[in-house]
Amino acid sequence: MATIITDLKEKFRRGDVSIKLIFINVAVFVVVALVQISLLLFNRYVGDIFNWLELPASFSRLAIQPWSLLTYMFMHAGFIHLLFNMLWLYWFGQLFLRFFSVRHLLGLYLLGGICGGLLYMVAYNVFPYFEYMVEGSFLLGASASVLAIVAGTAFRQPDYPVMLMLFGTVRLKYLALIVIGCDLLFITSSNAGGHIAHLGGALAGLAWAAALSKGHDLTKWINLVIDGVASLFRPRKRKPKMKIHYGANRQADYDYNARRKAQSDEIDRILDKLKKSGYESLTADEKKSLFDASKR
């Protein structure tokens, strides 16, 4: 068991950002599933406990659980939901990284999820069709984030060939249009919130890629926030202690004391000459030395 955990840690450490995001999504799914099983084994009612991590359609509910705008994109309703989202994240994450950076992928994943979640909330509160669903509706899943990555890649490389089972090779732009078109057709289905969020994520991906082509990175602020939060948990570098070279100091002290002693001996010699022969017997240098010593 310890070896398995060590291997997983090493794969997480060495993996690119898409692999790390997959690890995080899977880990959250496993933890949530284990908590649910544990509660049921003790006949505890699971109820709406995990709604606190899902995104509510109600703005008043969001006000008391604002973190759900981020946490919802790491939650999944079941194994199949998780599997398909992670497969898409892996395939298109690897493709995305051929044209963009790691920071772009992480930033767009979060931007797509945020925009998808906000569009879902706005639609449920604006359109009368969803009026009676607002209070009891919650959104979860990484689909909006993944669609943002798909759309951003399709904007950058629209004619990139993608191999699909049963359909053969399809250009990326057509695949993105098909997915977006399906979401538009199903926005009044039983999974209306999910399809609306997909549209929000796709629009975020297109807007990001279009802005980046003009030199503006819409994910810059997200990465700055991530860097700021990460810096709080990094260990502070200790200032190097001042090195004291004792040998050099001892040598300097020795030289200084030797000079002082030589000066003192010279003054004593001049004073003895002054006593014996008078001031006129002193040379110009001796007079100067005596004068300088009197000023110290």
Side-chain angles (χ1 to χ4, degrees):
M1 186 65 180
T3 305
I4 295 174
I5 294 174
T6 302
D7 290 343
L8 290 174
K9 286 181 178 179
E10 188 63 19
K11 287 180 179 178
F12 179 83
R13 188 181 67 83
R14 293 188 176 186
D16 57 46
V17 68
S18 65
I19 299 298
K20 287 181 169 67
L21 286 170
I22 291 171
F23 266 77
I24 294 170
N25 275 278
V26 172
V28 170
F29 179 80
V30 171
V31 170
V32 169
L34 290 175
V35 171
Q36 288 177 326
I37 292 170
S38 300
L39 291 173
L40 289 173
L41 286 174
F42 288 95
N43 291 325
R44 298 294 183 184
Y45 177 63
V46 177
D48 300 330
I49 184 173
F50 291 108
N51 285 350
W52 291 94
L53 299 177
E54 300 166 5
L55 183 65
S58 168
F59 281 101
S60 58
R61 179 67 186 261
L62 179 66
I64 60 175
Q65 56 178 91
W67 58 83
S68 61
L69 188 57
L70 292 176
T71 57
Y72 94 90
M73 65 185 80
F74 296 96
M75 301 285 290
H76 288 86
F79 177 74
I80 299 300
H81 188 203
L82 172 73
L83 177 62
F84 279 97
N85 274 342
M86 294 304 100
L87 286 175
W88 276 65
L89 177 56
Y90 177 75
W91 292 330
F92 288 97
Q94 297 302 307
L95 183 58
F96 181 95
L97 290 174
R98 295 183 185 182
F99 311 112
F100 303 105
S101 71
V102 167
R103 287 173 68 83
H104 287 149
L105 178 56
L106 178 58
L108 187 56
Y109 180 94
L110 296 174
L111 180 66
I114 291 170
C115 291
L118 291 176
L119 184 62
Y120 151 77
M121 296 185 70
V122 169
Y124 264 57
N125 285 273
V126 168
F127 295 112
Y129 179 81
F130 302 110
E131 183 179 354
Y132 300 104
M133 307 178 195
V134 174
E135 293 304 323
S137 296
F138 291 84
L139 180 69
L140 72 164
S143 302
S145 299
V146 173
L147 260 294
I149 293 169
V150 174
T153 309
F155 186 93
R156 174 67 172 79
Q157 290 290 323
D159 294 319
Y160 190 90
V162 179
M163 186 66 182
L164 296 179
M165 230 191 283
L166 303 178
F167 295 97
T169 302
V170 179
R171 291 183 181 180
L172 187 53
K173 61 184 177 183
Y174 295 130
L175 177 61
L177 286 173
I178 290 169
V179 172
I180 294 171
C182 288
D183 285 320
L184 279 170
L185 291 174
F186 291 106
I187 58 174
T188 56
S189 67
S190 59
N191 186 31
H195 292 293
I196 293 170
H198 295 176
L199 292 173
L203 290 173
L206 291 173
W208 170 81
L212 191 66
S213 67
K214 297 178 181 178
H216 304 291
D217 184 5
L218 299 180
T219 63
K220 184 178 180 180
W221 67 273
I222 294 177
N223 284 304
L224 288 175
V225 171
I226 293 172
D227 292 341
V229 173
S231 67
L232 298 176
F233 298 95
R234 290 196 194 105
R236 293 183 179 179
K237 293 182 180 180
R238 294 182 179 179
K239 292 182 179 180
K241 294 182 178 180
M242 186 181 294
K243 293 183 179 180
I244 301 175
H245 301 283
Y246 293 100
N249 289 343
R250 284 196 294 269
Q251 183 63 38
D253 291 343
Y254 177 82
D255 292 340
Y256 175 77
N257 291 333
R259 287 195 302 273
R260 289 295 301 273
K261 186 175 186 309
Q263 291 173 355
S264 179
D265 291 342
E266 177 63 10
I267 296 301
D268 289 341
R269 185 190 66 78
I270 293 172
L271 290 174
D272 287 340
K273 184 177 179 180
L274 179 63
K275 289 180 182 178
K276 292 177 181 179
S277 308
Y279 184 79
E280 296 300 326
S281 65
L282 302 180
T283 64
D285 289 336
E286 290 172 340
K287 290 177 181 178
K288 184 177 182 304
S289 297
L290 190 63
F291 177 78
D292 290 339
S294 66
K295 293 171 62 179
R296 296 193 188 105

